[in-house]
Amino acid sequence: MQWIMLAIAICLEVFATSMLKLSEGFTRLWPTVAVIVGYAVSFYLLAQVVKVTPVSITYAIWAAAGTLLVVGVGVIAYHERLTMLQILGVVLTIAGVLLLNLGGASHHGDVETSADASPRFPQPVTRTKTISFISSS
């Protein structure tokens, strides 16, 4: 189920990003609403997915797939051209996500993936500083 939610989050992020151009700098109401709602629901779904999947892999997939799809939207819908350097960037993006996933497969048991898992962050150190004002008379 989490992978379906991730796919929907990616599609909504791509939709919202594509609407940015149509919003004309947030001067057109409905494309602006589409951007805000699309990103909000996308991030909500992403937050639900990372409750049960490793955040590093999930975010890498979300960001890379979104980037690749937005490149596709730019080429198809907005007739943008890609240079060879940009095509290389797309290929390297795909390679990076594949490597992250392959590298995570051998250590998958090391990652807590239950819904109750919470990261163990060090507690912040609280330091207080006393300032006294001495009057010299």
Side-chain angles (χ1 to χ4, degrees):
M1 182 64 173
Q2 69 265 15
W3 299 115
I4 293 170
M5 287 175 49
L6 181 60
I8 294 168
I10 291 166
C11 290
L12 286 169
E13 187 265 337
V14 170
F15 171 75
T17 301
S18 300
M19 291 290 104
L20 279 172
K21 188 168 186 86
L22 297 177
S23 77
E24 296 180 6
F26 297 123
T27 60
R28 296 183 58 216
L29 177 63
W30 294 116
T32 299
V33 169
V35 169
I36 294 167
V37 171
Y39 280 137
V41 176
S42 178
F43 275 99
Y44 172 79
L45 291 173
L46 183 64
Q48 301 313 302
V49 173
V50 298
K51 285 181 179 179
V52 294
T53 60
V55 68
S56 58
I57 302 302
T58 304
Y59 185 76
I61 293 169
W62 181 77
T67 299
L68 297 174
L69 290 170
V70 168
V71 167
V73 168
V75 169
I76 294 167
Y78 297 123
H79 309 289
E80 298 171 354
R81 293 184 175 263
L82 292 178
T83 66
M84 288 306 290
L85 195 57
Q86 290 169 318
I87 292 170
L88 177 62
V90 168
V91 170
L92 290 174
T93 299
I94 293 168
V97 171
L98 286 174
L99 290 173
L100 279 169
N101 281 304
L102 290 174
S106 64
H107 302 291
H108 196 42
D110 297 343
V111 179
E112 291 184 30
T113 57
S114 71
D116 296 331
S118 61
R120 306 286 187 250
F121 294 108
Q123 295 298 317
V125 176
T126 306
R127 294 186 179 150
T128 58
K129 186 176 183 179
T130 305
I131 300 174
S132 61
F133 295 97
I134 300 174
S135 173
S136 58
S137 314

